[in-house]
Amino acid sequence: MLETVWFILITVLFIGFFFLEGFDFGVGMLMPFLGKTDTDRRVVINTIGPFWDGNEVWLITAGGAMFAAFPNWYATLFSGFYMALFLMLLALIGRGVAFEFRSKLENKRWRALWDWIICIGSMLPPLLWGVALANLMRGVPIDENMNYVGSFWDLLSPYSITAGLSMVLLFLLHGALFLTLKTEDVLRERARGVAKRIGAWTSAVLMLFVVLSYFETDMFASQGINPGLIPVLAGMALLSVHFFIKAGRDGWAFIMTGATIILSTITVFMLLFPNVMISSLNPEWSLTIHNASSNAYTLKVMTIVAVTVLPFVLAYQAWTYWVFRKRVTANDHLDY
Amino acid sequence: MEAVELARLQFGITTIYHFLFVPLSIGLAYLIAFMQTMYVIRDDEKYKRMTKFWGKIFLLNFAVGVVTGIMQEFQFGMNWADFSRYVGAVFGGPLAVEALVSFFLESTFLGIWIFGWDRLSKKLHLACIWLVAIAATLSALWILSANAFMQEPVGYEVVNGRAEMTDFFALLGNKQLWVEFPHVIFGAFATGAFFVAGISAYKLLRKQQTEMFRASFNIAIIVALVSSLLTAFAGHDQAQHLMTSQPMKMAASEGLWHTTGESAPWTVIASIDPDNRENGFQIEVPYLLSVLSYNKLTGSVPGMLELQAQYEAEYGPGNYIPPVRTTFWSFRVMLAAGMTMILLGMIGTYKVIRGRVEGSLHYLKWMLPAISLPFIANTAGWIMTEVGRQPWVVFGLQRTEQGVSPLVSSGMVATTLIGFTVVYGLIAAAFIYLVVHTVRQGAEVETSHHHTKSGQQDRGTAAML
């Protein structure tokens, strides 16, 4: 019972991470392209300035929660997807300091360097998380001792790369739409233009991923041809984005990419349940919420803490967005 | 090198690096919160300038601390999978709670503080930096409760070949935690205080913005003295606790091979020969180790060889003596740095009281390099406590070589070790460059309270973003 609660809580933490950091990854990727001048770039960065660090804590909490609630999942995933995590860490490290370092010197090259680190550092994590999730769904070589016996290259396949690309595109779209809500005039138009251009591509690649999933995972066996309500809603939300952008309803468009992210994440974790890591070698060797979890007492304590604290986190993070609800413009005090 | 040695090296490098930034963040957070409180109470622009100037350096430092912290949380799973499986049900708890309770608070309110100068009322904005400081301290408490479990496991039971949590409050009430936490936190205050004092001394020496840096120095040097003294007292408590919890670490940090007689002398320095398990020459102060261990002139302190025999009987055959030289010398380096800090704090406080700081050119000159002392002491202290616990990763429960990821090859660990070291090195270089740049630039002189003309945007101020 508590294992299921923690599976759901970890899903919630990943939803928080993908939804929130999703748009700041998108903004980071778009920044060098949308920002033609230094002032533009600062405006773009400042749209996520107060938020990105708090957004990233969702990932750190998800990691900590996996460690505490499912130590075997944490150990197998992190030691197994070793090089992928290494690259993701480098990306997050570079990106994090870049936000802080870039504007401290006037030098153009200095700023260009950190801007590209922000861009690449924002692109790699969604790419790698997409690859990771596809592999979680498909299964990876895990031996009877719960250890991953494959290599980094085993994680890369047309299927997993499609998943990575769809995540990158989805976050790009999500970020572009966030910018339409947080900027004005030219920047807003540019962001809208990007959203229009990549909207169709995002839908196409994500659809390809869904189709491939029928072949690559046991989705067909477990779900049949009808994937159920949630993934269908995810697809519909994504398709509606295009119409909302055309109608000039940026807010609704952003809500719809958000809905796509939330519903897709739920879909992935639902398909996985009750497994947490599927062994492609022998189904007996898969990690499940039962054989990967902590003892009941630990789960109970952690549940009390999480259920008490998470509402406050949501409340004060929501308050942050309220405090900084105004659009960022070149006339603002951009440097701090 | 084997994977386990590389993984240890990686943990050592990344953790020491991370912990250069963490104590400075904690120490600076409180100093800045205090400065901003003075600004809000007295409405004196000087304090606002101070808050903003030290705030800039604080943010640079905080950023590096945060990003290297993500690595800390992930590397348990990456390099230490079997450790994670074995103790995850206990050790993972505090880490998860840290993220939930502290890190969310810290990161979110820091974001608001940075960007909220013009958006929030003065008092609400002040509350944000206090929340950051308190959350950072709580963060340290949770992380140290996890570390305290490794030093002195409590609140658990070994079931089906792994440790399972049985009492969360025992983890929080761990005696080891409550000797360790004050020592680390006061050390962090001292780190921030020596940093502010050192840079202020440099600026006073150059007679730049003397009003602001004089005030900064005065606040910092008093905090430096008080927190250095408190760190020493807390360290004394911790050493006494070590006598009962990890006597082997104590013996190794004293280079003590044989159990002493009724009164134990303290070894100042010694030439240690771990191969023959004896010391060459050594300088001793009679009675002092008894005094340090038990607060009295008598009291025998057990030696490594006797403890080795005892542990063999308890845990089976094996070498239970940690690397003695490292443990012994890192302890002394920490002590020497700490004593120097107390001395400099006393001299500085005396000069402040007598109003002679700016005339004391020699003293001011020494305060800049003295910034390094708390960093040296922090690092040496952690080396002593972590190396001194070897061969255990969790004392009495799991040996370090048992905790490593079994199928992560040494080539993979070497790759990430090199990768992280190079990237950390580059970040350190950029960080130092920016701090020096910020210090040279000095505090921003604001002519008007509000920043309205767009033409001024790129001028002067060191930009946050």
Side-chain angles (χ1 to χ4, degrees):
Chain A
M1 172 58 198
L2 281 176
E3 287 115 336
T4 310
V5 169
W6 269 95
F7 186 84
I8 295 169
L9 277 170
I10 285 171
T11 311
V12 169
L13 293 169
F14 272 102
I15 288 174
F17 169 58
F18 290 143
F19 179 92
L20 295 168
E21 189 120 289
F23 64 73
D24 74 51
F25 281 146
V27 170
M29 285 186 264
L30 289 170
M31 184 267 294
F33 303 102
L34 290 188
K36 312 279 185 209
T37 65
D38 188 63
T39 312
D40 279 357
R41 289 186 177 189
R42 281 209 212 182
V43 168
V44 171
I45 293 173
N46 279 21
T47 62
I48 54 169
F51 314 123
W52 72 267
D53 192 10
N55 293 348
E56 200 153 294
V57 181
W58 287 87
L59 171 65
I60 297 168
T61 308
M66 279 170 99
F67 198 172
F70 301 103
N72 284 323
W73 187 9
Y74 170 80
T76 304
L77 179 67
F78 283 52
S79 64
F81 293 10
Y82 190 87
M83 293 313 271
L85 278 162
F86 167 63
L87 292 175
M88 193 198 65
L89 283 171
L90 288 187
L92 291 179
I93 289 170
R95 173 183 189 268
V97 293
F99 282 129
E100 214 67 47
F101 286 5
R102 89 164 286 278
S103 297
K104 292 288 195 286
L105 296 182
E106 296 286 332
N107 185 308
K108 277 209 172 90
R109 273 202 201 153
W110 170 271
R111 290 191 175 175
L113 169 73
W114 291 111
D115 286 351
W116 284 108
I117 291 175
I118 289 174
C119 179
I120 296 164
S122 302
M123 190 196 65
L124 270 182
L127 185 69
L128 293 164
W129 274 111
V131 168
L133 287 180
N135 280 296
L136 284 183
M137 288 168 67
R138 191 182 58 169
V140 289
I142 290 172
D143 69 9
E144 69 270 38
N145 298 318
M146 296 186 173
N147 285 314
Y148 176 79
V149 290
S151 74
F152 172 65
W153 306 109
D154 293 338
L155 298 176
L156 300 180
S157 63
Y159 175 60
S160 68
I161 291 170
T162 308
L165 282 179
S166 46
M167 200 123 163
V168 169
L169 283 167
L170 189 55
F171 287 0
L172 266 176
L173 186 59
H174 196 41
L177 291 170
F178 180 77
L179 283 173
T180 65
L181 298 174
K182 298 297 286 184
T183 57
E184 284 181 346
D185 305 330
V186 187
L187 271 176
R188 189 181 177 189
E189 282 312 312
R190 277 186 215 148
R192 215 180 252 153
V194 168
K196 274 183 191 160
R197 256 173 285 146
I198 60 173
W201 283 102
T202 310
S203 305
V205 176
L206 206 66
M207 196 52 74
L208 176 65
F209 170 69
V210 173
V211 171
L212 286 176
S213 294
Y214 276 103
F215 296 99
E216 295 278 338
T217 71
D218 63 353
M219 193 162 102
F220 188 73
S222 65
Q223 308 286 312
I225 190 75
N226 175 8
L229 185 63
I230 292 173
V232 170
L233 284 177
M236 283 167 63
L238 185 58
L239 290 173
S240 75
V241 171
H242 191 63
F243 298 100
F244 283 119
I245 298 172
K246 276 205 162 162
R249 307 296 295 268
D250 299 337
W252 277 104
F254 177 73
I255 289 171
M256 286 303 150
T257 49
T260 310
I261 291 170
I262 294 170
L263 295 168
S264 309
T265 312
I266 294 174
T267 307
V268 169
F269 279 86
M270 266 174 51
L271 286 169
L272 201 55
F273 186 85
N275 293 306
V276 291
M277 298 266 306
I278 298 165
S279 170
S280 58
L281 302 177
N282 183 343
E284 299 280 305
W285 298 343
S286 291
L287 279 73
T288 69
I289 58 166
H290 306 294
N291 68 12
S293 76
S294 284
N295 52 313
Y297 177 84
T298 306
L299 293 177
K300 197 176 94 186
V301 172
M302 295 303 302
T303 307
I304 294 169
V305 176
V307 171
T308 319
V309 174
L310 266 182
F312 288 99
V313 172
L314 283 170
Y316 62 66
Q317 286 211 334
W319 181 65
T320 318
Y321 287 90
W322 172 252
V323 170
F324 300 102
R325 64 193 175 280
K326 281 195 349 209
R327 290 174 192 272
V328 183
T329 72
N331 295 325
D332 288 345
H333 184 164
L334 289 177
D335 45 31
Y336 288 83
Chain B
M1 271 203 271
E2 284 186 45
V4 61
E5 286 163 44
L6 290 163
R8 283 184 66 191
L9 191 58
Q10 180 168 132
F11 199 89
I13 290 174
T14 54
T15 309
I16 286 170
Y17 188 89
H18 177 60
F19 206 76
L20 294 174
F21 296 90
V22 169
L24 184 56
S25 280
I26 295 174
L28 281 179
Y30 280 97
L31 285 165
I32 290 166
F34 176 75
M35 291 167 186
Q36 195 175 345
T37 307
M38 296 298 284
Y39 164 61
V40 171
I41 293 172
R42 295 203 181 160
D43 204 25
D44 181 345
E45 286 293 315
K46 173 180 74 185
Y47 287 107
K48 187 180 183 185
R49 283 202 300 280
M50 281 164 70
T51 308
K52 289 213 164 186
F53 173 77
W54 298 110
K56 268 183 246 167
I57 299 177
F58 168 69
L59 292 178
L60 288 171
N61 182 71
F62 192 90
V64 186
V66 167
V67 296
T68 52
I70 309 176
M71 157 65 188
Q72 289 306 106
E73 193 201 40
F74 281 29
Q75 76 171 319
F76 292 113
M78 290 171 70
N79 289 333
W80 302 96
D82 280 358
F83 165 82
S84 304
R85 290 185 209 281
Y86 187 73
V87 296
V90 193
F91 184 88
L95 295 196
V97 175
E98 188 260 348
L100 269 169
V101 176
S102 306
F103 201 42
F104 264 128
L105 203 63
E106 199 175 325
S107 303
T108 309
F109 283 92
L110 184 67
I112 303 175
W113 185 76
I114 299 168
F115 289 88
W117 281 94
D118 304 325
R119 303 276 168 100
L120 298 176
S121 73
K122 269 190 189 175
K123 282 185 183 161
L124 202 52
H125 187 247
L126 173 65
C128 290
I129 191 70
W130 277 108
L131 275 175
V132 171
I134 292 164
T137 313
L138 284 176
S139 224
L141 179 70
W142 293 109
I143 298 300
L144 291 177
S145 71
N147 180 264
F149 176 80
M150 294 165 73
Q151 312 290 349
E152 187 175 347
V154 292
Y156 74 99
E157 187 176 66
V158 175
V159 182
N160 301 327
R162 69 166 181 183
E164 297 189 340
M165 197 195 293
T166 55
D167 187 353
F168 184 64
F169 295 99
L171 282 177
L172 278 182
N174 193 344
K175 183 73 179 48
Q176 170 64 27
L177 172 62
W178 293 102
V179 292
E180 193 174 334
F181 176 65
H183 189 58
V184 169
I185 286 296
F186 292 135
F189 289 173
T191 309
F194 270 94
F195 186 84
V196 170
I199 288 174
S200 301
Y202 170 82
K203 296 299 265 189
L204 289 174
L205 206 57
R206 279 177 172 54
K207 309 216 183 306
Q208 291 165 350
Q209 298 178 311
T210 45
E211 190 202 4
M212 188 200 109
F213 285 107
R214 186 185 305 128
S216 295
F217 184 88
N218 291 354
I219 296 167
I221 200 68
I222 291 165
V223 175
L225 173 63
V226 173
S227 50
S228 301
L229 282 170
L230 289 172
T231 310
F233 292 137
H236 177 59
D237 278 350
Q238 194 174 354
Q240 296 203 330
H241 179 67
L242 213 54
M243 289 302 301
T244 51
S245 63
Q246 295 178 76
M248 181 63 97
K249 188 190 285 180
M250 185 69 178
S253 70
E254 294 305 339
L256 199 64
W257 295 102
H258 299 283
T259 302
T260 63
E262 210 22 54
S263 73
W266 188 69
T267 310
V268 185
I269 51 168
S271 96
I272 291 163
D273 180 356
D275 293 332
N276 295 317
R277 299 188 161 182
E278 62 184 24
N279 294 344
F281 87 98
Q282 54 187 30
I283 301 173
E284 292 180 338
V285 181
Y287 301 110
L288 190 55
L289 186 54
S290 291
V291 175
L292 289 174
S293 308
Y294 308 110
N295 291 339
K296 55 184 187 181
L297 288 175
T298 54
S300 160
V301 176
M304 285 180 275
L305 295 177
E306 281 76 5
L307 289 165
Q308 165 71 21
Q310 188 188 318
Y311 285 178
E312 270 182 37
E314 199 174 338
Y315 302 113
N319 180 15
Y320 296 94
I321 298 178
V324 184
R325 278 200 189 117
T326 312
T327 313
F328 180 88
W329 284 109
S330 56
F331 185 42
R332 270 143 198 81
V333 167
M334 176 182 78
L335 282 181
M339 292 303 146
T340 316
M341 284 157 62
I342 292 173
L343 189 68
L344 287 172
M346 283 175 169
I347 298 172
T349 307
Y350 174 76
K351 285 183 188 293
V352 166
I353 293 167
R354 302 296 298 263
R356 284 190 197 157
V357 174
E358 278 153 271
S360 310
L361 300 185
H362 282 297
Y363 178 76
L364 290 177
K365 254 180 221 164
W366 279 107
M367 283 308 283
L368 188 66
I371 290 176
S372 64
L373 289 172
F375 291 100
I376 293 169
N378 291 334
T379 305
W382 276 111
I383 290 175
M384 179 218 160
T385 204
E386 293 297 299
V387 171
R389 192 189 56 237
Q390 302 302 321
W392 302 105
V393 63
V394 182
F395 185 82
L397 283 183
Q398 190 178 46
R399 289 173 217 215
T400 306
E401 79 265 11
Q402 297 170 322
V404 78
S405 300
L407 294 182
V408 172
S409 68
S410 55
M412 283 158 79
V413 188
T415 309
T416 57
L417 173 64
I418 293 167
F420 284 123
T421 308
V422 169
V423 169
Y424 278 22
L426 292 173
I427 288 175
F431 171 80
I432 291 169
Y433 187 84
L434 288 176
V435 170
V436 170
H437 177 79
T438 309
V439 170
R440 289 235 170 96
Q441 222 174 24
E444 158 187 358
V445 183
E446 267 182 285
T447 42
S448 65
H449 189 72
H450 285 289
H451 199 108
T452 43
K453 287 167 223 114
S454 56
Q456 288 185 342
Q457 262 158 21
D458 290 329
R459 219 185 59 193
T461 66
M464 155 59 204
L465 288 169

